[in-house]
Amino acid sequence: MWLGPEEVLVANALWVTERANPFFVLQRRRGHGKGGGLTGLLVGTLDVVLDSSARVAPYRILHQTQDSQVYWTVACGSSRKEITKHWEWLENNLLQTLSIFDNEEDITTFVKGKIHGIIAEENKNLQPQGDEDPGKFKEAELKMRKQFGMPEGEKLVNYYSCSFWKGRVPRQGWLYLTVNHLCFYSFLLGKEVSLVVQWVDVTRLEKNATLLFPESIRVDTRDQELFFSMFLNIGETFKLMEQLANLAMRQLLDSEGFLEDKALPRPIRPHKNISALKRDLDARAKNECYRATFRLPKDERLDGHTGCTLWTPFNKLHIPGQMFISNNYICFASKEEDACRLIIPLREVTIVEKADSSSVLPSPLSISTKSKMTFLFANLKDRDFLVQRISDFLQKTPSKQTGSSAGGAKASVSDPAPESLPTPQEASEPPTSPSSPLNSPPSFRTQEIPTTSQGLLKVFQKSSPMEDLGAKGAKEKMKEESWNIHFFEYGRGMCMYRTAKTRELVLKGIPESLRGELWLLFSGAWNEMVTHPGYYAELVEKSMGKYSLATEEIERDLHRSMPEHPAFQNELGIAALRRVLTAYAFRNPTIGYCQAMNIVTSVLLLYGSEEEAFWLLVALCERMLPDYYNTRVVGALVDQGIFEELTRDVLPRLSEKMQELGVISSISLSWFLTLFLSVMPFESAVVIVDCFFYEGIKVILQVALAVLDANMEQLLDCSDEGEAMTVLGRYLDNVVNKQSISPPIPHLHALLTSGDDPPAEVDIFDLLRVSYEKFSSLRADDIEQMRFKQRLKVIQSLEDSAKRSVVRAIPGDIGFSMEELEDLYMVFKAKHLASQYWGGNRSAAIHRDPSLPYLEQYRIDASQFRELFASLTPWACGSHTPVLAGRMFRLLDQNKDSLINFKEFVTGMSGMYHGDLTEKLKSLYKLHLPPALIPEEAESALEAAHYFTEDSSSEASPLASDLDLFLPWETQALLQEQQEGSGNEDTQERREEKGTSPPDYRHYLRMWAKEKEAQKETIKDLPKMNQEQFIELCKTLYNMFSEDPMEQDLYHAIATVASLLLRIGEVGKKFSALSTKKPKDGAHSGGHNSTTEEDEPPTPKLHQDPTQECQPPAAGDPQAKASGNMHIGRALQDSHVTVEGGSGEGQGSPSLLLSDDETKDDMSMSSYSVVSTGSLQCEDLTEDTVLVGGEACSPTTTPRMGGTVDTDWCISFEQILASILTESVLVNFFEKRVDIGLKIKDQKKVERQFSTSSDHEPPGVLG
């Protein structure tokens, strides 16, 4: 590749000059290529160890001038071929031009300009990020691809110098982190270490320091532990590894492949040695952190941040911190965690202006909002630029009124009134929704009742004046007053200053009247609601009357949602809950509906309108409790893992006991999923929800630890899980909220009393206080770190259980052992995931639906199947293998969606590996009939197309029935029942259902029951084969034997069999021609179709009798086989007798009962005729074999033109089987066992091949 010219020291002892002319020198790295000796070893080692030369390719071209001592690099190459191409270009295009110049400086300037021009020209054709990656980086990427055999699509993110510990010896080398792999390469004094690990295989990733290893990074997969150390910047490396492993887990979780974030701002000049991808990942990490800190919508992108101070009027201080700016928000976070946090939506901003600087207040900036609040920032480094950015964003902020003006340092934007939050006078009202409520659909049989405009609690609670409530009422009034004072001092609405005081008030309990409003503010749901007016109403309208699995589950759970609360004991509350849950399932089909969502949503509806409850649910499911409510509740399992880890750290004594009893996993899931709402009295749990919306998951973890701590002594005395559950259940039942003004709601979680006195009541506020006193050291970023670690563990264990489930779902008679099936599954899954890495247009295979049964989740398309087939098939056919793979794929793809699942894949593999000769031949036979064989593949395309269209409808029933391949080959006895229509409805249903709705388990049970029945399989169900299909079969067999040790014998045998079968077909054709009953067109279709008994020519009929009498021989039962052959032989002999009068050539008809000598002579004659015409070549097979066959059997007929196909000719499977059984070498070939284990190992090596240098040079020099 061309390089931007850089000066180099000429006396570099590590290079050898190979070619030179007056202006350029081509050099090879010393020790690279042939020979090299000790120098080569040392240079190879240096290349790996030294930072300066590690990225140097083995060849380079330097520009020189005669008198100058300075050389310039102009190109480098990883192979001789590449560098020679550049050298020749320079000789052909530049040498003559350069000889014209007089001045050497001009020559150098011209060369540099020309090379820069070439690079710019090349970059023009590259993708946008191509020209952003610096030259050195591109060089490292090329080296990585070459070293580890990675395809073009695999992008390098960054690379680091480090040591890999092999045993107790550190190997210094380079760690390459790509989007999908972690790779390491080291070459030290002749010893090479090459490692490739897929991120999706990583089960553990942590930074640790031990006595044995200095500070190191540990990477575990299912079968190895790797340690890397001696990093220059271990923190940065580990952070990047974490991000990449996280992306891989996300891919396993919901199939979301890695997509570059195109909206990121591009740098003006590329950063030295930082790839565009690395920048992209860093930006992603910052965005995620920014959104999580300030609870902003998912599409918010951080533009930049800067240090500053904020004037806080409530305590008259300038608080130092960071200002963050994004498209729609200006946020501030103080350095001291609890001092102050501020969120200013740009839609609220009216004026931004630069105030006058002073020594007390250097470069201040004031921002005013519609709610008459002004925020004063100072100590801003680049104030003018900042104001310009804010002005730009303000102009883009959507405004529904014209007349927004932005001039100089001012930008005033006016916004519609409904978006402003209520003023303090409206304190008793939560903020109203910005969109008008939709009419209740008539299908709900409800009148228009104001469910949509206020919380259900207001509708169903008899409002009694506070005075009547006594002390509780007074307490509630005091709480409201405290909040009103807080609003007065700190502001109200989105722009409120959030400080330690705010948290104190939340901990004391939010008054009922403000709960809805504050939940919306603290969760960030208010922002999304205001910016998406009418969205909820639209969703409700769209989702009305739509049926799905989610709606079915919602209906089932509606009456289980807080049935003890009066609001949900009537249709009004139930209808509101139905609408919110259905609308959310419609918005986010990947989550749809999950149990526990109903409980949480019903509580949200008590305190807010439908629309508010909807947006709170969005905030919960998509931001605050990530991955909690998907089909596998991964998020809750992750947080449960964190809970176990924290219990080990802070309550070690109890942790051991809990592990022993196995309690934590059973108790904590419902605590996390329902935020304690399902296990505590409602009025107490709601206080925990208050804190959760302000603090996040940290509160839930703290309270869970406090509950265990409070019951420690009793839990330590428990002898089994049930007893521990009872202790905790009774404790939680008695957590009370004495300040609640609502009438107590009976808690349906059964009050567990065991004869003795009920346990003492615990005040919820005391429990919260204790949880903060003892366990408040938890920080949000620590929790994120722990989440990452647990996510690896949880997702990998879910993947393992998925693998076991899939393997168990494969019928026992498939023939592979459990280990082989597991290995096959891993290979199959790796192939599916590869489509996500590098498959640009394989959208169908990429999008995996986690709600499908495990068996259906990973599926591969035809091209992926072709690659797997080529590496795993025992029937390698050289260049013909892809054709055979394509046919196998069409045969397995029952529902014609161009994707096959693991069960179908294994069924196909089993047909080639297991069963006796008959089974294997049957598999092969089917590959040469429709639907496996398509018209385009046949030699005579026009005739073939005509033939197939005529027969395709009737062909589908025996071949393409679902059971034929859904079950293993042996169970085709069921086909007859299928044809008679008994199973048609089931089959049809299943075809429609596959991949869309959950499977009908009764259908599977019926199929398993049938599997267990005695299998009365007959091979007569297989349709006949016409001439062109037979030619295709011969072609496949010829290709199959090409690399076998017995190649010549096999060729001879197959030539003999092919010739014999061609003559049998001719005889059958003549016989059918003699039959007067049969109309001509009937004979035509009969050659390939399974026709009725009356229409069928007598020859096939003769074959059906013996097969009905005699079962196909079982594997390993030679006698049974022999008897089968005799039956078929007799049948053939009968047909020979019938035809004898009609043709003088009848003697050539096969009879398996002839003496050995006669048979031998006959065979040698026919095989000679076939072989002599050169038909061993596949290409010639069509013309020659057909003619030879035709002539041998019937010289009286007029010879056909070469290459045409006789459509009346046909042959049955029994005839093929009988003929092959006469050749022991063929029988041995199909009966020999092949170990799939070895092929799987080879396939894994191919998946992650370690390619060496392209010129077959020793790999060491690539370092």
Side-chain angles (χ1 to χ4, degrees):
M1 65 186 251
W2 299 106
L3 297 175
E6 281 181 28
E7 284 187 33
V8 290
L9 190 67
V10 65
N12 193 334
L14 302 179
W15 295 88
V16 181
T17 299
E18 291 207 331
R19 289 186 181 186
N21 61 39
F23 303 106
F24 299 101
V25 182
L26 189 154
Q27 294 187 326
R28 170 174 57 82
R29 191 88 168 137
R30 194 180 287 279
H32 186 94
K34 303 180 190 86
L38 185 61
T39 325
L41 283 179
L42 287 168
V43 174
T45 301
L46 274 171
D47 274 358
V48 173
V49 176
L50 294 179
D51 193 13
S52 58
S53 60
R55 298 162 191 158
V56 176
Y59 296 95
R60 70 180 183 184
I61 297 174
L62 304 178
H63 164 60
Q64 61 163 8
T65 49
Q66 283 171 348
D67 301 336
S68 169
Q69 294 303 305
V70 179
Y71 284 66
W72 302 82
T73 52
V74 293
C76 71
S78 52
S79 67
R80 190 180 294 278
K81 189 175 167 189
E82 185 187 354
I83 207 74
T84 308
K85 194 172 134 199
H86 288 337
W87 179 262
E88 285 170 357
W89 188 90
L90 290 170
E91 283 192 328
N92 298 335
N93 295 283
L94 283 192
L95 279 188
Q96 267 188 309
T97 314
L98 295 179
S99 54
I100 299 166
F101 288 96
D102 301 331
N103 187 339
E104 289 190 351
E105 275 180 32
D106 292 349
I107 293 177
T108 304
T109 311
F110 178 80
V111 168
K112 283 158 75 175
K114 189 72 188 165
I115 299 298
H116 279 304
I118 294 170
I119 293 171
E121 190 62 34
E122 277 183 350
N123 286 348
K124 221 191 290 178
N125 308 325
L126 291 174
Q127 292 173 332
Q129 94 264 12
D131 52 351
E132 290 186 1
D133 292 337
K136 290 261 169 142
F137 190 86
K138 279 192 198 165
E139 218 174 297
E141 185 165 55
L142 283 173
K143 191 182 293 183
M144 175 276 297
R145 287 207 191 117
K146 196 174 170 55
Q147 186 65 58
F148 302 105
M150 296 289 178
E152 273 292 309
E154 185 66 343
K155 296 272 191 284
L156 180 64
V157 181
N158 215 346
Y159 55 112
Y160 300 95
S161 168
C162 71
S163 294
F164 164 63
W165 292 79
K166 197 171 169 73
R168 294 191 160 213
V169 184
R171 295 296 175 87
Q172 182 62 31
W174 287 90
L175 181 72
Y176 297 92
L177 304 180
T178 75
V179 174
N180 303 299
H181 297 84
L182 172 152
C183 311
F184 176 82
Y185 183 76
S186 161
F187 178 76
L188 280 174
L189 299 176
K191 288 196 175 162
E192 184 184 27
V193 177
S194 200
L195 275 178
V196 177
V197 175
Q198 280 186 307
W199 289 118
V200 286
D201 291 337
V202 172
T203 55
R204 182 175 178 183
L205 179 64
E206 58 189 33
K207 194 163 53 169
N208 53 16
T210 60
L211 285 172
L212 179 61
F213 302 119
E215 196 176 23
S216 63
I217 294 175
R218 173 181 176 169
V219 182
D220 287 10
T221 64
R222 286 176 179 82
D223 43 20
Q224 55 184 344
E225 289 178 11
L226 311 170
F227 288 90
F228 300 94
S229 66
M230 300 188 200
F231 289 92
L232 282 171
N233 186 347
I234 194 164
E236 181 199 324
T237 312
F238 183 69
K239 196 173 155 195
L240 182 58
M241 288 166 93
E242 239 182 16
Q243 277 183 285
L244 292 166
N246 232 334
L247 281 171
M249 292 306 108
R250 173 67 46 205
Q251 214 169 37
L252 285 176
L253 188 60
D254 60 9
S255 223
E256 183 188 293
F258 178 83
L259 294 167
E260 265 194 84
D261 202 334
K262 298 290 178 212
L264 289 172
R266 297 298 185 199
I268 294 129
R269 291 200 323 276
H271 301 285
K272 194 167 168 53
N273 290 346
I274 290 189
S275 70
L277 269 176
K278 169 82 171 73
R279 220 170 33 79
D280 177 29
L281 283 167
D282 289 346
R284 274 174 181 237
K286 281 182 182 169
N287 282 333
E288 277 166 24
C289 181
Y290 170 63
R291 289 193 295 258
T293 307
F294 298 104
R295 307 264 167 83
L296 298 175
K298 275 193 146 179
D299 52 0
E300 200 58 30
R301 286 196 177 82
L302 180 64
D303 188 66
H305 57 94
T306 177
C308 67
T309 58
L310 170 67
W311 168 253
T312 49
F314 48 87
N315 56 4
K316 312 276 188 293
L317 287 175
H318 290 284
I319 297 182
Q322 289 272 330
M323 178 199 259
F324 300 86
I325 294 177
S326 59
N327 331 22
N328 302 297
Y329 298 89
I330 298 171
C331 300
F332 174 85
S334 57
K335 276 188 184 155
E336 202 182 316
E337 202 178 355
D338 272 346
C340 182
R341 192 166 283 181
L342 182 63
I343 301 165
I344 310 171
L346 290 182
R347 60 176 186 270
E348 295 282 326
V349 173
T350 51
I351 299 171
V352 178
E353 60 185 340
K354 293 184 276 192
D356 297 332
S357 279
S358 68
S359 54
V360 184
L361 210 61
S363 55
L365 177 70
S366 101
I367 297 174
S368 304
T369 67
K370 292 175 189 164
S371 50
K372 307 287 182 286
M373 289 178 78
T374 301
F375 302 96
L376 189 62
F377 296 93
N379 292 289
L380 290 158
K381 287 193 182 71
D382 197 347
R383 185 173 62 162
D384 294 349
F385 176 71
L386 192 73
V387 170
Q388 190 52 52
R389 288 306 284 160
I390 295 174
S391 294
D392 292 347
F393 285 134
L394 274 170
Q395 283 173 330
K396 290 176 194 166
T397 304
S399 166
K400 295 165 194 86
Q401 294 176 359
T402 50
S404 61
S405 62
K410 290 192 181 186
S412 38
V413 174
S414 56
D415 239 341
E419 287 193 4
S420 58
L421 275 168
T423 49
Q425 297 92 280
E426 302 160 341
S428 58
E429 285 280 315
T432 53
S433 86
S435 63
S436 57
L438 65 151
N439 290 336
S440 203
S443 59
F444 289 127
R445 307 181 300 285
T446 55
Q447 313 79 21
E448 185 54 43
I449 295 177
T451 56
T452 40
S453 57
Q454 56 183 323
L456 290 174
L457 210 57
K458 294 206 172 140
V459 181
F460 287 95
Q461 205 167 302
K462 298 172 185 67
S463 53
S464 46
M466 291 285 185
E467 294 74 42
D468 299 357
L469 293 167
K472 281 186 181 176
K475 185 85 179 164
E476 186 77 2
K477 202 122 185 76
M478 277 170 64
K479 278 190 200 171
E480 282 182 13
E481 201 47 52
S482 315
W483 275 99
N484 283 334
I485 294 167
H486 187 273
F487 290 147
F488 181 75
E489 282 185 21
Y490 296 84
R492 185 172 192 170
M494 212 64 225
C495 305
M496 178 201 296
Y497 292 98
R498 297 159 200 225
T499 64
K501 181 83 193 316
T502 318
R503 181 203 277 157
E504 269 173 46
L505 281 177
V506 172
L507 276 175
K508 286 178 184 167
I510 296 176
E512 302 267 300
S513 56
L514 293 174
R515 192 162 266 144
E517 174 186 343
L518 292 172
W519 283 2
L520 280 168
L521 291 181
F522 296 149
S523 65
W526 175 256
N527 284 323
E528 290 192 275
M529 190 169 91
V530 165
T531 49
H532 295 84
Y535 176 81
Y536 171 69
E538 215 174 284
L539 265 188
V540 172
E541 214 168 296
K542 278 186 195 163
S543 59
M544 273 308 116
K546 295 273 185 355
Y547 174 80
S548 68
L549 182 63
T551 56
E552 189 183 308
E553 288 176 353
I554 289 168
E555 284 302 323
R556 197 180 58 219
D557 282 354
L558 281 177
H559 294 278
R560 303 179 195 167
S561 314
M562 292 191 68
E564 65 273 23
H565 199 288
F568 298 100
Q569 288 166 359
N570 66 71
E571 187 56 30
L572 178 66
I574 296 288
L577 183 59
R578 179 190 288 119
R579 285 194 290 273
V580 173
L581 289 172
T582 311
Y584 186 76
F586 202 76
R587 166 193 164 90
N588 190 345
T590 50
I591 289 179
Y593 169 77
C594 168
Q595 278 189 322
M597 278 168 81
N598 58 324
I599 294 169
V600 176
T601 311
S602 54
V603 173
L604 300 177
L605 275 167
L606 290 176
Y607 294 102
S609 69
E610 264 181 52
E611 185 174 22
E612 290 165 353
F614 170 78
W615 286 113
L616 281 167
L617 185 63
V618 169
L620 273 179
C621 296
E622 293 171 21
R623 294 200 309 275
M624 299 187 74
L625 297 174
D627 304 321
Y628 257 59
Y629 298 109
N630 58 24
T631 41
R632 301 190 273 180
V633 294
V634 172
L637 291 170
V638 166
D639 285 349
Q640 186 178 290
I642 295 178
F643 180 46
E644 287 184 42
E645 198 178 322
L646 290 171
T647 312
R648 268 197 304 277
D649 293 347
V650 297
L651 305 168
R653 206 155 58 103
L654 185 58
S655 172
E656 278 175 42
K657 182 73 177 178
M658 298 291 270
Q659 289 296 332
E660 194 186 301
L661 298 176
V663 177
I664 287 195
S665 51
S666 30
I667 55 165
S668 53
L669 204 57
S670 61
W671 296 3
F672 290 109
L673 277 172
T674 65
L675 308 175
F676 286 99
L677 286 162
S678 62
V679 293
M680 256 187 209
F682 165 71
E683 53 277 8
S684 306
V686 121
V687 180
I688 293 179
V689 178
D690 291 343
C691 301
F692 167 74
F693 276 124
Y694 189 77
E695 294 264 41
I697 193 65
K698 165 184 163 169
V699 177
I700 306 294
L701 289 164
Q702 283 177 190
V703 172
L705 288 169
V707 169
L708 289 189
D709 187 42
N711 292 282
M712 189 181 310
E713 297 309 322
Q714 284 166 284
L715 288 171
L716 287 171
D717 295 339
C718 290
S719 53
D720 60 30
E721 187 184 5
E723 201 179 331
M725 298 281 283
T726 308
V727 167
L728 291 167
R730 292 180 69 197
Y731 177 84
L732 288 168
D733 263 341
N734 285 279
V735 175
V736 295
N737 177 0
K738 292 173 181 164
Q739 300 175 13
S740 171
I741 55 165
S742 309
I745 296 161
H747 185 41
L748 290 196
H749 193 275
L751 191 61
L752 301 148
T753 49
S754 48
D756 52 4
D757 298 330
E761 288 187 341
V762 182
D763 191 290
I764 180 66
F765 295 103
D766 292 343
L767 180 62
L768 274 171
R769 186 176 43 75
V770 170
S771 79
Y772 270 89
E773 281 169 8
K774 288 194 173 180
F775 308 112
S776 63
S777 56
L778 272 177
R779 291 169 51 88
D781 43 0
D782 294 341
I783 291 176
E784 274 315 305
Q785 188 68 46
M786 290 160 94
R787 268 183 171 168
F788 164 72
K789 198 165 129 191
Q790 293 298 332
R791 196 176 292 124
L792 282 182
K793 211 183 286 181
V794 166
I795 290 179
Q796 294 295 12
S797 68
L798 284 171
E799 288 295 310
D800 288 344
S801 61
K803 176 173 73 179
R804 287 192 293 274
S805 305
V806 170
V807 167
R808 278 201 298 270
I810 305 298
D813 48 10
I814 208 86
F816 292 115
S817 69
M818 289 298 262
E819 288 75 30
E820 285 171 339
L821 280 172
E822 287 192 0
D823 286 347
L824 277 171
Y825 177 77
M826 293 313 283
V827 168
F828 184 85
K829 178 175 145 187
K831 189 55 75 181
H832 167 92
L833 290 171
S835 72
Q836 293 183 301
Y837 303 160
W838 307 312
N841 52 0
R842 295 174 175 165
S843 55
I846 287 173
H847 294 299
R848 173 167 69 97
D849 181 357
S851 64
L852 289 174
Y854 288 133
L855 192 61
E856 296 287 339
Q857 286 188 16
Y858 292 114
R859 293 183 292 172
I860 57 173
D861 62 19
S863 59
Q864 293 165 302
F865 177 77
R866 212 169 289 133
E867 292 160 20
L868 278 182
F869 183 89
S871 54
L872 297 176
T873 180
W875 298 342
C877 301
S879 59
H880 193 62
T881 308
V883 179
L884 205 61
R887 290 176 193 164
M888 174 73 88
F889 184 83
R890 285 189 291 278
L891 194 61
L892 296 173
D893 181 22
Q894 290 295 294
N895 62 346
K896 303 286 176 280
D897 63 352
S898 303
L899 295 170
I900 60 168
N901 66 25
F902 180 65
K903 190 169 189 173
E904 291 163 336
F905 169 71
V906 172
T907 307
M909 286 290 134
S910 174
M912 296 184 285
Y913 275 95
H914 301 294
D916 57 6
L917 172 78
T918 314
E919 294 305 326
K920 288 179 180 173
L921 280 178
K922 200 193 303 173
S923 302
L924 194 59
Y925 184 82
K926 284 180 179 179
L927 292 179
H928 296 83
L929 294 173
L933 187 78
I934 51 173
E936 296 83 76
E937 284 184 350
E939 305 293 316
S940 159
L942 278 171
E943 286 183 32
H946 166 66
Y947 187 84
F948 279 82
T949 46
E950 207 168 56
D951 283 7
S952 59
S953 56
S954 49
E955 204 47 65
S957 75
L959 259 175
S961 80
D962 266 24
L963 290 180
D964 185 12
L965 275 156
F966 188 77
L967 300 179
W969 304 111
E970 292 85 11
T971 53
Q972 288 160 12
L974 305 173
L975 286 171
Q976 281 171 295
E977 292 174 41
Q978 283 272 358
Q979 277 166 283
E980 287 154 21
S982 64
N984 280 354
E985 291 83 2
D986 277 346
T987 316
Q988 194 55 38
E989 275 172 35
R990 194 181 168 283
R991 196 169 290 169
E992 288 162 11
E993 277 181 354
K994 182 173 174 184
T996 53
S997 61
D1000 176 2
Y1001 296 107
R1002 287 167 304 180
H1003 173 62
Y1004 287 130
L1005 287 168
R1006 277 199 294 276
M1007 290 194 333
W1008 288 331
K1010 284 179 186 173
E1011 266 182 47
K1012 300 289 175 268
E1013 287 170 16
Q1015 291 165 356
K1016 307 167 190 150
E1017 194 200 5
T1018 61
I1019 44 183
K1020 76 183 175 76
D1021 291 315
L1022 291 169
K1024 292 201 173 49
M1025 190 175 259
N1026 71 9
Q1027 202 173 52
E1028 73 187 344
Q1029 291 159 357
F1030 175 67
I1031 289 163
E1032 284 294 329
L1033 176 63
C1034 294
K1035 207 171 174 180
T1036 300
L1037 288 166
Y1038 269 83
N1039 279 297
M1040 206 182 277
F1041 306 145
S1042 62
E1043 290 169 22
D1044 198 274
M1046 304 283 290
E1047 191 174 347
Q1048 284 309 313
D1049 296 351
L1050 285 163
Y1051 278 152
H1052 186 81
I1054 197 60
T1056 307
V1057 169
S1059 162
L1060 175 63
L1061 286 165
L1062 280 162
R1063 294 204 307 262
I1064 292 175
E1066 288 293 334
V1067 172
K1069 177 183 132 189
K1070 277 204 149 109
F1071 198 57
S1072 63
L1074 288 172
S1075 165
T1076 49
K1077 288 181 197 173
K1078 183 93 179 151
K1080 197 172 180 184
D1081 57 334
H1084 167 73
S1085 68
H1088 179 61
N1089 198 0
S1090 48
T1091 52
T1092 56
E1093 293 279 295
E1094 306 88 75
D1095 283 357
E1096 218 162 347
T1099 315
K1101 193 166 180 179
L1102 282 161
H1103 295 309
Q1104 283 171 9
D1105 298 345
T1107 36
Q1108 277 162 348
E1109 295 158 28
C1110 130
Q1111 290 293 313
D1117 183 358
Q1119 220 161 352
K1121 269 184 212 149
S1123 70
N1125 303 349
M1126 298 300 266
H1127 279 297
I1128 294 166
R1130 256 184 234 114
L1132 292 176
Q1133 193 182 26
D1134 293 347
S1135 78
H1136 150 63
V1137 172
T1138 326
V1139 177
E1140 205 160 19
S1143 163
E1145 292 300 312
Q1147 307 296 342
S1149 311
S1151 167
L1152 306 185
L1153 303 179
L1154 295 173
S1155 74
D1156 282 357
D1157 293 340
E1158 282 173 48
T1159 315
K1160 207 176 288 171
D1161 291 343
D1162 184 41
M1163 294 307 168
S1164 54
M1165 179 280 294
S1166 62
S1167 64
Y1168 173 73
S1169 66
V1170 176
V1171 175
S1172 64
T1173 55
S1175 62
L1176 279 178
Q1177 298 300 319
C1178 304
E1179 294 76 53
D1180 306 334
L1181 198 61
T1182 331
E1183 300 177 14
D1184 300 332
T1185 317
V1186 175
L1187 290 170
V1188 169
E1191 284 155 15
C1193 297
S1194 155
T1196 53
T1197 55
T1198 49
R1200 292 184 303 277
M1201 292 297 292
T1204 60
V1205 172
D1206 186 348
T1207 49
D1208 293 341
W1209 187 98
C1210 70
I1211 198 109
S1212 72
F1213 176 69
E1214 294 96 313
Q1215 291 164 328
I1216 292 177
L1217 177 63
S1219 308
I1220 283 179
L1221 284 168
T1222 62
E1223 296 287 344
S1224 61
V1225 65
L1226 284 176
V1227 173
N1228 294 341
F1229 176 84
F1230 281 106
E1231 296 246 298
K1232 76 173 175 223
R1233 289 193 63 78
V1234 184
D1235 180 10
I1236 195 167
L1238 296 171
K1239 288 193 175 283
I1240 292 172
K1241 274 187 193 143
D1242 293 343
Q1243 159 66 18
K1244 283 183 180 168
K1245 277 183 197 154
V1246 172
E1247 286 286 329
R1248 48 179 73 171
Q1249 81 206 69
F1250 304 132
S1251 68
T1252 53
S1253 175
S1254 58
D1255 294 341
H1256 307 291
E1257 297 151 344
V1261 284
L1262 280 164

